[in-house]
Amino acid sequence: MEPVEVKSRQPWVVGVSGASGTPYAAAVLRGLLAAGASVDLVVSRASRLTLLDETGIAFRDAHWREDLREWLGRGADGKPGTFRVDVDDVRHWAAGDLAAGPSSGSYPVKGMLIVPASTACVAGVALGLSKDLLQRAASVTLKERRKLVVAVRETPLNGQTLRHLVTLDEAGAVVLPASPAFYAGATHIQDLVDFVAGRVLDAAGVPHQLYRRWEGELGGSRSD
């Protein structure tokens, strides 16, 4: 009797920390789902305050699907119903659940994206503190030599944070500042958000069409 091949779900872990920039996280999540990827979502306690402040949405563990669907449906300008998103392949883990799947290296994932990453989150991951599931999942990602993309969102950066970012780089993480570019012909705030989200997905190797790529032609974005 031949062995049966079992294909397990292998998601991307997306961690949302308390830095300003929840539209970046929403755009990355939409991009992953549009690409057919599975997602394990960890929303930190601090990020819920930021999400409430930036969108008016209270992210609740008991109603996370409803709240996530409302969040991902909004554009960067806060307008509800801008996007239609299927969240059926998202699994949510409470930030305080240190027994969750992503807390173990034996739990199969492709890697982890932290969007946005606060300086406190950066420090916690660099120092291996594992004070919550987000930090623990990031530490596991590094020790298992999986892809970790850290979209840090802060300015200016002090020396201590810069040293933490170097530590993450040396550990194998991709340090990706949430810095929008303008060569893609942005005409709306959503374009700037999608550029950063697209660069995060580029670093993860996930296909997308979130922004216009550079093609070596000066002024090319103004020729349309």
Side-chain angles (χ1 to χ4, degrees), residues 51-204:
L51 183 62
L52 181 62
D53 181 58
E54 294 183 346
T55 69
I57 297 171
F59 193 89
R60 304 160 294 175
D61 288 337
H63 303 279
W64 70 267
R65 284 190 182 276
E66 174 187 340
D67 298 335
L68 178 63
R69 192 175 289 110
E70 181 182 359
W71 177 24
L72 299 190
R74 296 194 179 200
D77 58 3
K79 182 180 178 181
T82 301
F83 300 98
R84 296 183 63 183
V85 183
D86 183 353
V87 299
D88 287 345
D89 207 3
V90 178
R91 184 172 185 177
H92 168 257
W93 300 96
D97 185 4
L98 292 177
S103 69
S104 172
S106 66
Y107 183 77
V109 303
K110 292 183 178 179
M112 182 172 184
L113 315 175
I114 305 179
V115 189
S118 67
T119 55
C121 173
V122 166
V125 177
L127 297 173
L129 298 183
S130 295
K131 70 166 186 157
D132 61 9
L133 180 58
L134 195 160
Q135 291 184 13
R136 171 59 185 168
S139 295
V140 168
T141 302
L142 289 176
K143 81 179 182 69
E144 296 295 327
R145 302 297 191 266
R146 295 167 181 157
K147 178 75 73 175
L148 175 63
V149 182
V150 180
V152 60
R153 215 306 308 166
E154 185 59 273
T155 189
L157 297 172
N158 62 26
Q160 187 175 47
T161 298
L162 291 169
R163 285 188 286 272
H164 288 151
L165 292 173
V166 169
T167 297
L168 291 180
D169 175 77
E170 292 175 342
V174 176
V175 175
L176 195 152
S179 302
F182 296 85
Y183 62 77
T187 58
H188 190 275
I189 186 175
Q190 188 66 54
D191 298 327
L192 298 176
V193 168
D194 285 346
F195 179 87
V196 171
R199 295 299 288 150
V200 171
L201 296 177
D202 286 345

